[in-house]
Amino acid sequence: RVEKMDSSKFDKMAPTYFQSGLFHIQSYTTMLSMLGMNKLGRILETGCGAGAGPLIMSSLMQQSPFLMYATDFSPKMLEEAATNLKKRGNSSLLVEKIEESPKEKIEVPMDLKGKSSIKVMEVNGLDLPFKDEQFEAYISNHAFHGIDMEKIIQEAYRVLIPGGVMGISLHSHKNNFFQIMKEVNDALGKSHKHHHPPGNTFDFGEYENAPKIKESILKAGFKKCKVLSQPLYMEITEAETFWNERKFFFGEMGELEEKAKKAFIKKYEEITQDELLSMGGTIMLAFKQLIT
């Protein structure tokens, strides 16, 4: 068993996270069109956040029954996700929040009985609580950073059926938000290098390294991987509000917080003169087997 992941920073962001969903909509709709929505039945999403992705899924797939497990390691994000899906989802959508961790690996039903449902559940993507070969599709939308990339890809491969497909979207060095984060990181000094999720040192190496990620995908057993670069954008909010929503990434800053805030706002206002914040990204599709 892998250790429980620290969700504290994302728990604090949860109440306002849904409002940052513009770039989620862009990448999600592109990814779904590439996956072929009419072919999806049983779907697993890891890193679902406050539920923007599953909500888009339910809107786009109203004519096609599906069962989705919307998962995240942040309990607070999942509370927001369940609330948003129940309040904003279409009336025929069945939403269930699973409160207890399963004692055994889950077998996902094949017969959807003509209905669409989303099960919201706390899950560690490095140790999925599902039996082998349970899903037609695995989706992760801007949630593949700061983790053991090889392990999470191996788990995705394990739970997909032989004809299954994995769709992931990634941040890149073209992401203005991470340029802003780097500015704050530099203002704080080297002792704060790892206050972003573990594994990211703000050099952006993992964000645009599609060849390395593709190598991990093929190593896990996937037979083919397609890569698509996509421009993504986030709506602009007032600089101080944006700072308050994101400062948790840096942990306790003490007397350096004011210095960090000034660096953040200065870079934010410099970048956002064009009224949109670029979240530049990459979409990758991986096929477990080739259909001839």
Side-chain angles (χ1 to χ4, degrees):
R1 283 292 201 183
V2 298
E3 292 183 9
K4 183 178 174 65
M5 298 170 73
D6 180 13
S7 65
S8 58
K9 295 181 180 68
F10 293 95
D11 286 341
K12 291 174 181 176
M13 289 173 62
T16 57
Y17 196 72
F18 189 81
Q19 281 68 36
S20 65
L22 175 63
F23 73 97
H24 287 290
I25 294 171
Q26 296 168 74
S27 55
Y28 225 92
T29 51
T30 299
M31 196 157 37
L32 286 176
S33 65
M34 294 173 71
L35 287 169
M37 288 181 285
N38 61 330
K39 299 176 184 177
L40 305 182
R42 297 171 299 166
I43 305 155
L44 171 63
E45 179 175 7
T46 57
C48 73
L55 193 62
I56 296 163
M57 172 78 72
S58 66
S59 175
L60 294 175
M61 293 183 60
Q62 290 189 44
Q63 306 304 316
S64 303
F66 69 90
L67 166 59
M68 173 185 244
Y69 277 83
T71 72
D72 203 289
F73 71 98
S74 163
K76 294 295 184 183
M77 284 288 190
L78 291 171
E79 288 177 14
E80 294 291 326
T83 299
N84 285 322
L85 285 164
K86 289 174 182 177
K87 285 174 61 177
R88 304 167 188 260
N90 64 71
S91 58
S92 62
L93 180 68
L94 302 175
V95 179
E96 177 189 1
K97 188 171 186 296
I98 299 175
E99 301 292 350
E100 295 185 6
S101 300
K103 295 178 181 178
E104 298 180 352
K105 295 285 188 183
I106 297 170
E107 184 169 352
V108 181
M110 294 186 66
D111 185 3
L112 305 184
K113 302 185 183 302
K115 297 180 180 179
S116 291
S117 60
I118 297 179
K119 297 181 184 293
V120 180
M121 181 180 181
E122 184 178 343
V123 160
N124 185 333
L126 301 174
D127 185 23
L128 296 172
F130 304 100
K131 292 185 177 180
D132 296 355
E133 301 183 357
Q134 297 294 301
F135 297 96
E136 278 76 32
Y138 175 105
I139 295 173
S140 187
N141 196 28
H142 298 290
F144 255 39
H145 45 279
I147 53 172
D148 184 335
M149 189 73 71
E150 287 202 359
K151 178 59 178 173
I152 200 167
I153 290 171
Q154 289 167 5
E155 277 292 271
Y157 181 87
R158 181 182 68 79
V159 300
L160 284 170
I161 65 170
V165 61
M166 175 177 71
I168 60 175
S169 59
L170 306 161
H171 293 296
S172 76
H173 70 259
K174 297 172 185 176
N175 184 325
N176 290 158
F177 173 58
F178 285 103
Q179 293 175 27
I180 297 168
M181 297 286 277
K182 183 179 185 300
E183 198 77 13
V184 178
N185 187 75
D186 291 345
L188 289 170
K190 292 182 179 179
S191 64
H192 289 268
K193 278 284 185 181
H194 297 281
H195 276 288
H196 192 262
N200 172 25
T201 56
F202 292 90
D203 63 4
F204 313 117
E206 293 301 313
Y207 291 103
E208 190 72 350
N209 199 344
K212 181 178 179 182
I213 297 167
K214 183 176 181 178
E215 184 180 311
S216 295
I217 286 171
L218 297 176
K219 182 180 177 181
F222 287 96
K223 297 296 187 266
K224 187 176 182 180
C225 179
K226 292 183 179 180
V227 182
L228 170 71
S229 293
Q230 183 186 34
L232 303 170
Y233 300 96
M234 179 184 280
E235 292 174 306
I236 299 304
T237 60
E238 195 270 328
E240 188 156 344
T241 300
F242 201 69
W243 161 254
N244 287 330
E245 292 173 352
R246 300 299 192 276
K247 66 181 181 180
F248 303 111
F249 279 109
F250 298 99
E252 295 298 325
M253 292 175 279
E255 60 185 21
L256 290 174
E257 181 168 341
E258 191 60 31
K259 181 180 179 182
K261 178 180 176 181
K262 287 180 179 178
F264 183 99
I265 291 177
K266 180 181 177 181
K267 190 68 173 179
Y268 182 83
E269 291 178 341
E270 173 189 319
I271 283 176
T272 57
Q273 291 180 31
D274 295 330
E275 299 182 354
L276 284 173
L277 187 65
S278 172
M279 302 295 288
T282 301
I283 291 177
M284 307 184 79
L285 295 185
F287 301 86
K288 191 165 181 177
Q289 71 178 31
L290 300 181
I291 308 297
T292 57

